[in-house]
Amino acid sequence: AAAFDDSDAQAVAKHAANYGAAFKSGNFQKVLKARPPKMLDYIAGLYDMKRGEMIRDTAAQTKALMAEVTVHSVNFNTDALTSGDTALGAYAFVPTTTVMSAPGKGKKSLDSQTLVMEDGGKWYVVPIETAQIYDLVKQVYPEFNSVPLP
């Protein structure tokens, strides 16, 4: 793979922004379709489902769970990203801050990393809210086994 360059940085910023806009607007089908197909197929297989049916069902469940939640902002700090390359292509971990509120809960801020990665010449987005999610990424993509989570 070639070294992470300006065009990669632009792709990361674009895909992160599109993902954030979909999440903020509650378009959970688009949020899920931003994830790598190989990862979606793996998760669907765990539940003996097809990818499309898993996306549809998960999007509906997420929409129901988020019904009373207001997403105020999703900020991707692309100036502080950690980037590199695997055999799949370029990747970047983007520090992400999401601000949400729910009735009776007030505003909450969640700091996380968002993995924006290339696979097969296409870019995908995986929010990494927990170490377990990154473990799942490494199960599906062993190329990330030697890449530490920032």
Side-chain angles (χ1 to χ4, degrees):
F4 189 91
D5 62 21
D6 286 346
S7 69
D8 294 325
Q10 289 168 2
V12 165
K14 176 183 135 192
H15 288 276
N18 289 344
Y19 178 88
F23 185 78
K24 192 167 188 286
S25 71
N27 186 342
F28 298 112
Q29 287 224 1
K30 188 172 182 180
V31 163
L32 289 163
K33 288 177 179 177
R35 302 205 177 146
K38 187 174 173 182
M39 186 171 214
L40 294 171
D41 289 340
Y42 178 84
I43 295 167
L46 294 175
Y47 298 98
D48 199 27
M49 300 172 86
K50 299 223 178 297
R51 183 193 318 162
E53 124 187 84
M54 189 271 297
I55 288 171
R56 186 187 64 243
D57 290 358
T58 303
Q61 291 168 2
T62 306
K63 193 169 193 71
L65 285 170
M66 297 286 289
E68 294 189 11
V69 174
T70 301
V71 179
H72 298 281
S73 64
V74 183
N75 179 44
F76 299 96
N77 187 353
T78 53
D79 292 336
L81 62 76
T82 304
S83 64
D85 299 281
T86 68
L88 299 166
Y91 69 85
F93 288 99
V94 184
T96 307
T97 302
T98 306
V99 179
M100 298 181 277
S101 63
K105 303 276 187 195
K107 272 189 184 180
K108 301 275 187 218
S109 180
L110 170 69
D111 291 323
S112 62
Q113 294 285 331
T114 300
L115 172 61
V116 183
M117 59 174 283
E118 209 175 1
D119 181 14
K122 293 188 176 179
W123 288 91
Y124 300 101
V125 179
V126 183
I128 310 287
E129 286 116 5
T130 65
Q132 291 83 1
I133 294 172
Y134 192 49
D135 288 343
L136 178 65
V137 169
K138 292 189 285 187
Q139 241 180 316
V140 176
Y141 290 104
E143 296 85 352
F144 281 93
N145 282 334
S146 62
V147 178
L149 185 60

